[in-house]
Every structure is written in structure tokens, then in C-alpha cells.
Amino acid sequence: MMNQLKAGLWTGLVLMSSAISGCSGENAANSDNSMDQKSAVTLVRNDAEKKVEVLVNGALFTAYLYPESIAKPVLYPIKSAKGNDLTRGFPLDPRPGERVDHPHHIGLWFNYGDVNGLDFWNNSDAIPVEKKSGYGSIVHTDILGTKESREGAELEVAADWIAQDGRILLKETTRFIFSSVGEKRVIDRITTLKAHGQDISFTDNKEGMLGIRVARELEHPSNKPELFTDANGIATTVPTLNNEGVSGMYRSSEGIEGDDVWGTRGKWVNLSGEINDEKVSLAIVDHPKNPGYPTYWHARGYGLFAANTLGQKALSNGKEVLNFKLKDGELVTFRYRIVVNSGSSLTDEVLNQESEDFSK
């Protein structure tokens, strides 16, 4: 009897010790994983100023802007976890020392350089009135819905792709999914285009499709003046600037780096650098269901970072051509993931996992 009592007492002590140890281990794990905790993502709608702000733990991450003055809706600015701007300020909010070329490069946008002969990519208030007939605009029409949850926030919007005479070529619906875990922030953009009232041709063009114009710090250092022309032959001189603090470097899923990324295919491209002593990564991830996957990259050292799934002729040096078409009423959906990381550069392994997760 005494032996049974001692055995029971010993068993109880062991169980109590295990419970205490397990509790301590759980608390330690929670502490270790604190950087992996989801952040509160909220949306602030401001119809008067034609924007919807996206806040992470109360601080601005980005904003959906849709004024008529910029020829298409954009996400601007895009900020890191420490509040540094990853996107260029010009032309909305110019900052000292940055380039002032290509006024149509604003924040993050989605459009194309040749839709039934109209240039949606290069349109801006810099285009002379007498030439406007060759350009198209994307006009925001409605906020279809907003949603906030423990996983993040969603914004669904509608827009029309229109000619200067008011004809609607495409009806667009876009769903933005914003999330934040630790120092990593993610934007998923899912855009569906529907041909409206006519057949639509996306004639092969290097000006497309998902573009970001990055801050000066994320450009590649520039040692000489550069001249670039758009699809209409309009030249823009990109001058050499002071390279102090300029640290950008592209790297693709295929292991290609720097300016060599331009005109190559890849599942993703990561642009890494440092802004105000904060190491950052800005990556774009393509989706297997996109036409032309894996995308060609229209990534320039002067700060244009774009994934062009439809433009192949110029980017492949004429080896491939894709003239994508929609019959009247037909739909096509484009999916992209944008990853913003603070504190370190994203590794190939992490981005390969992002690509795999996104593809699901």
C-alpha cells in the first residue's frame, strides 16, 4: 500500500513537472515566433480625395489612388516596415536627388502599350493635346467591396479602359489582397479584363504590364547618361546622377543579376538594396496561369521594374512573338504578387516558396 502511494505521488510530481516545462516551452516558442505574428491591416476610404489608404498597425503601407490626372489608378506610395519609401516620389511628390524622367511611371500600376492601337502605358499629362488621340486611359469607376480580417485586408475595384473619344475597350475588375507578417508585407493583385463591344488585340509591345517605379536608392548605380525610347519613338534622356546611397541589385529566379535581367524570363525577380540603413527587398512574383508565363522582365537599372507577360518580341530580340487577343465578351485574368521585406534581402529559397504558395 505504501509502495503504491509513493508511486502515485511520484507520478503526480512528474506530470506536474512536465506540465510546467511544456508551458514554459510554449511561452518561449511564442516569444521566438513574435516576428512571425500577423499585423493588423486596415483600409481607410476617402472618396473626396479619391483614395483608399492601406494601414499596417495604423501606419501607412500604401494607398490606392484614382484621380483622373494620372491616366490610370495606382498604388502609391509603397512603404517599408520602417516607413521608408520604396517608390519614386516624382511626379506626385518629388524628392531631392531623384530622376524626373518618364512622368507616367507612378507607384505601382497595370496597363499596356498597345491595345487596339492605343498606348495606355505612356499616357500622362506630358502628352501634347494634338497627340492624345493615340493614347488610352484607365478610369476608376467603382469600389466594389472592402474586407478586413485576421489574415489581412481586401479591396475590390472596377475600372474602364477607354479611348479618347469615350469608347470603352475593356472592363476591368481588380482585387487587391494586402497582408503583413513580421517584417514582410505582401500585395496580391488579381485583375480580370473583359473585352467590351469589340474584339481586342494586345499587339506585342515591350511597354507592359505590371510596373513599379522605385526610389533612387533602389536603382542601379549609374555611370553614364542614358537614352531610352518608348514604343512611339519618343526619346527620354536619363542623366547620370550622384550614386551616393544607391544600392539596388536585381536577381531573377534563374540566378541572373543586375542589368542582365532585362529581356529574360523568370518566375520572380527580387530587387534588393538599402534605404536609410534599412535593408529591403522588393520582389514581383509571376503566376503560372498568366498568359506568357514565365514572364519576360522589363527591368531597368534606372528604376523601372516591370513584368511583361505579353510583350515578347522586343524582349526576346525577335525570337518570340505573342499577339494576345480577346473576342468581344471574353475574359482574361492576370495575377501578380508583390513582396516587400525589411531587415534583410529575400533569399532564393524564400522566393521560391512564395512562388509555390502563390501558384496554389
Side-chain angles (χ1 to χ4, degrees):
M1 181 71 178
M2 182 60 69
N3 289 337
Q4 291 176 347
L5 183 60
K6 287 181 179 180
L9 180 60
W10 174 252
T11 301
L13 290 172
V14 170
L15 290 174
M16 183 180 296
S17 176
S18 298
I20 293 172
S21 175
C23 183
S24 299
E26 182 180 352
N27 289 339
N30 287 341
S31 177
D32 291 341
N33 293 331
S34 61
M35 295 301 291
D36 295 331
Q37 296 301 307
K38 289 183 171 62
S39 304
V41 183
T42 54
L43 304 177
V44 180
R45 179 172 172 173
N46 187 330
D47 294 349
E49 296 185 14
K50 297 188 176 181
K51 67 180 180 180
V52 180
E53 292 183 324
V54 183
L55 309 181
V56 175
N57 292 334
L60 181 66
F61 168 37
T62 188
Y64 172 74
L65 306 182
Y66 54 96
E68 294 87 346
S69 58
I70 56 176
K72 74 267 188 180
V74 299
L75 291 184
Y76 173 87
I78 297 176
K79 290 180 173 288
S80 69
K82 291 187 177 180
N84 286 308
D85 288 306
L86 277 62
T87 42
R88 180 178 71 165
F90 178 83
L92 299 185
D93 186 20
R95 298 191 291 268
E98 65 181 13
R99 303 179 193 264
V100 292
D101 57 87
H102 300 84
H104 50 280
H105 292 175
I106 302 173
L108 184 151
W109 68 94
F110 176 88
N111 59 15
Y112 198 64
D114 191 336
V115 182
N116 282 16
L118 295 177
D119 184 352
F120 285 81
W121 179 272
N122 290 287
N123 195 8
S124 74
D125 58 7
I127 303 300
V129 174
E130 63 271 19
K131 295 185 178 180
K132 276 287 190 179
S133 61
Y135 294 80
S137 300
I138 302 175
V139 178
H140 167 93
T141 58
D142 197 9
I143 295 177
L144 300 175
T146 59
K147 177 183 176 182
E148 296 174 1
S149 70
R150 291 173 57 88
E151 302 303 313
E154 296 184 20
L155 170 66
E156 189 171 6
V157 297
D160 291 337
W161 294 45
I162 65 173
Q164 293 299 314
D165 61 9
R167 287 180 297 114
I168 299 174
L169 278 69
L170 293 161
K171 304 287 287 187
E172 173 187 328
T173 56
T174 291
R175 184 162 61 105
F176 295 99
I177 304 172
F178 305 98
S179 60
S180 179
V181 179
E183 301 298 293
K184 184 180 74 175
R185 298 173 175 184
V186 175
I187 304 168
D188 288 348
R189 175 174 181 141
I190 300 99
T191 295
T192 297
L193 302 176
K194 181 179 181 180
H196 181 79
Q198 63 217 282
D199 294 349
I200 298 295
S201 294
F202 296 84
T203 303
D204 198 311
N205 191 288
K206 73 180 177 70
E207 312 285 22
M209 294 192 67
L210 181 87
I212 306 174
R213 185 58 191 264
V214 302
R216 172 65 180 150
E217 294 90 337
L218 294 182
E219 295 177 15
H220 287 180
S222 174
N223 298 315
K224 64 183 187 303
E226 296 167 324
L227 186 69
F228 292 93
T229 57
D230 62 22
N232 296 312
I234 300 173
T236 300
T237 300
V238 182
T240 299
L241 298 179
N242 181 358
N243 287 318
E244 183 179 354
V246 179
S247 59
M249 176 58 67
Y250 291 115
R251 180 176 173 82
S252 81
S253 59
E254 310 312 297
I256 302 170
E257 293 189 331
D259 291 324
D260 291 339
V261 167
W262 191 91
T264 64
R265 288 183 182 270
K267 296 183 295 183
W268 52 260
V269 163
N270 178 34
L271 176 59
S272 60
E274 191 169 308
I275 304 178
N276 296 328
D277 297 323
E278 179 190 19
K279 291 183 178 180
V280 295
S281 274
L282 176 63
I284 301 175
V285 182
D286 195 16
H287 194 284
K289 289 186 178 180
N290 286 343
Y293 177 88
T295 184
Y296 273 101
W297 294 96
H298 186 20
R300 296 289 198 184
Y302 71 83
L304 170 63
F305 183 14
N308 191 349
T309 56
L310 298 186
Q312 298 188 6
K313 185 175 182 180
L315 293 161
S316 69
N317 197 25
K319 296 176 183 177
E320 299 178 77
V321 176
L322 175 59
N323 292 308
F324 187 77
K325 299 180 185 296
L326 290 175
K327 293 289 187 182
D328 183 19
E330 283 188 339
L331 306 172
V332 62
T333 298
F334 297 89
R335 304 164 179 85
Y336 299 96
R337 171 166 288 184
I338 299 92
V339 184
V340 178
N341 195 66
S342 297
S344 63
S345 179
L346 293 167
T347 65
D348 291 5
E349 291 75 18
V350 168
L351 284 166
N352 283 332
Q353 188 63 53
E354 286 285 349
S355 177
E356 183 178 337
D357 293 343
F358 186 44
S359 67
K360 297 175 183 177

